[in-house]
């Protein structure tokens, strides 16, 4: 079985994540291709798409949100994702059990003894008027009936798990600060979410495997699970295994892939790219070694924005007073510093509507 080293896996990831070459595709197609973007920080997906798309116009993403073609909802890993309307409706029921389990993992004691199906029915009844509500408002509407858990536990279970919800604009629009207001996903998108397959088959699980490999492969089953949070996909993998090709990584793990997916030459040059907080190019793997050193793995879950140099995390970045501030994690060559500065100036321009081109690269550690 062919062994793919870390660099080969890195270049495959960059190509499929649209980070090797910026793509010239519509924003909706990019969101679909990427399987959504993690979006609990509302402005971060705009940077993620700017780094991936040629001539990205942030107004296009805002228009997709207000036009209900893209939606913010709890989905993979119980985190807020920005996904196409079609994917939200197709995937949501498949994530139900995982969403419940993850909320219970945080609030099992508070929710002990509560019939979750009964709570779900009560939550849907409150939301049947399709009035936007915050998590706290929904929890308070049911607090008299369930006074013990407290509004946080009750609200998290309702909003993140029991009642499929959409977070409404202006939350998530470009350069807009707004609180979270929720309405039922089906009412916002105009049709019911797809029900589970009645015959016990798992077509949605199989589709998720294919979609994941198209944008993250070659990858191990543990990587797939890390991306979506679903533990019950071995049967889906087994059902489509004959469609797939297999490799091994340098640790000996079996890697699955689609036969015709891009696997560029490991020597392919990789441009500097600025990634937003919680970008799935990093979080979409259990083994993140293809893109970030183990010593810096904590950055990926701490919400640090990172800079890729030669395809790997080499710096963090932030914005202070219109200046893109870059903090290297290791010494950069003069050529790399120049490339980081150039991309930093372009990012500053994007974030400031061409008002600033300032970038500052701090002294790297010795």
């Amino acid at each position: 079985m062919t062994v793919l080293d870390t660099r080969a896996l890195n270049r495959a990831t960059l190509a499929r994540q649209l980070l090797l070459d910026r793509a010239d595709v519509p924003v909706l197609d990019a969101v679909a291709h990427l399987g959504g973007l993690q979006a609990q920080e509302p402005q971060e997906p705009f940077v993620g798409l700017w780094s991936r798309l040629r001539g990205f116009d942030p107004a296009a993403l805002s228009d997709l949100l207000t036009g209900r073609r893209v939606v913010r909802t709890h989905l993979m890993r119980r985190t807020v994702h920005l996904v196409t309307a079609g994917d939200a409706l197709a995937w949501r029921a498949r994530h139900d059990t995982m969403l419940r389990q993850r909320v219970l993992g945080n609030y099992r004691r508070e929710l002990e003894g509560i019939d979750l199906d009964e709570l779900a029915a009560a939550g849907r009844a409150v939301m049947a008027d399709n009035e936007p509500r915050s998590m706290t408002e929904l929890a308070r509407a049911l607090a008299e009936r369930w006074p013990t858990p407290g509004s946080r536990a009750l609200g998290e279970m309702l909003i993140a798990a029991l009642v499929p919800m959409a977070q409404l604009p202006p939350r998530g629009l470009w350069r807009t600060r707004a609180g979270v207001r929720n309405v039922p996903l089906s009412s916002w998108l105009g049709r019911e979410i797809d029900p589970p397959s009645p015959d016990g088959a798992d077509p949605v699980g199989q589709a998720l495997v294919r979609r994941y490999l198209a944008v993250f492969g070659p990858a191990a089953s543990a990587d797939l699970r890390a991306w979506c949070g679903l533990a019950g996909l071995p049967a889906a993998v087994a059902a489509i295994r004959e469609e797939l090709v297999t490799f091994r990584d340098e640790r000996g793990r079996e890697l699955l892939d689609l036969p015709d997916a891009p696997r560029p030459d490991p020597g392919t040059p990789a441009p500097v790219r600025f990634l937003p907080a919680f970008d799935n190019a990093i979080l979409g793997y259990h083994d993140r070694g293809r893109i970030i050193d183990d010593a810096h793995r904590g950055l990926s879950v701490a919400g640090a924005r990172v800079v890729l140099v030669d395809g790997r995390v080499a710096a963090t970045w932030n914005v202070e007073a219109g200046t893109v501030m870059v903090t290297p994690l290791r010494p950069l060559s003069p050529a790399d510093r120049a490339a980081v500065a150039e991309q930093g100036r372009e990012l500053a321009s994007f974030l400031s509507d061409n008002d600033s081109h300032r970038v500052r690269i701090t002294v790297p550690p010795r």
Side-chain angles (χ1 to χ4, degrees), residues 86 132 163 179 208 216 220 259 267-268 279 285 291 293 297 302 311 317 338-339 346 364:
V163 184
L208 283 168
F216 292 93
T268 303
D279 195 282
Y285 298 98
I291 199 167
D293 294 346
R297 180 185 173 98
W317 68 274
E346 292 186 19

Side-chain angles (χ1 to χ4, degrees), residues 76 87 89-96 194-197 199-214 221 224-225 227-241 243-244 256 258:
M76 286 78 78
D87 283 346
L89 293 166
W91 294 353
R92 181 53 173 78
R94 186 62 179 82
H95 287 73
D96 277 351
D194 295 348
S197 178
D199 60 2
D202 190 12
V204 175
Q206 295 170 28
L208 283 168
V209 175
R210 296 186 186 97
R211 293 281 295 276
Y212 175 78
L213 293 176
S221 295
L224 167 65
R225 185 167 58 251
W227 168 69
C228 63
L230 300 175
L233 289 177
V237 171
I240 67 168
R241 183 172 278 274
E243 302 176 16
L244 307 178
L256 307 171
L258 303 174

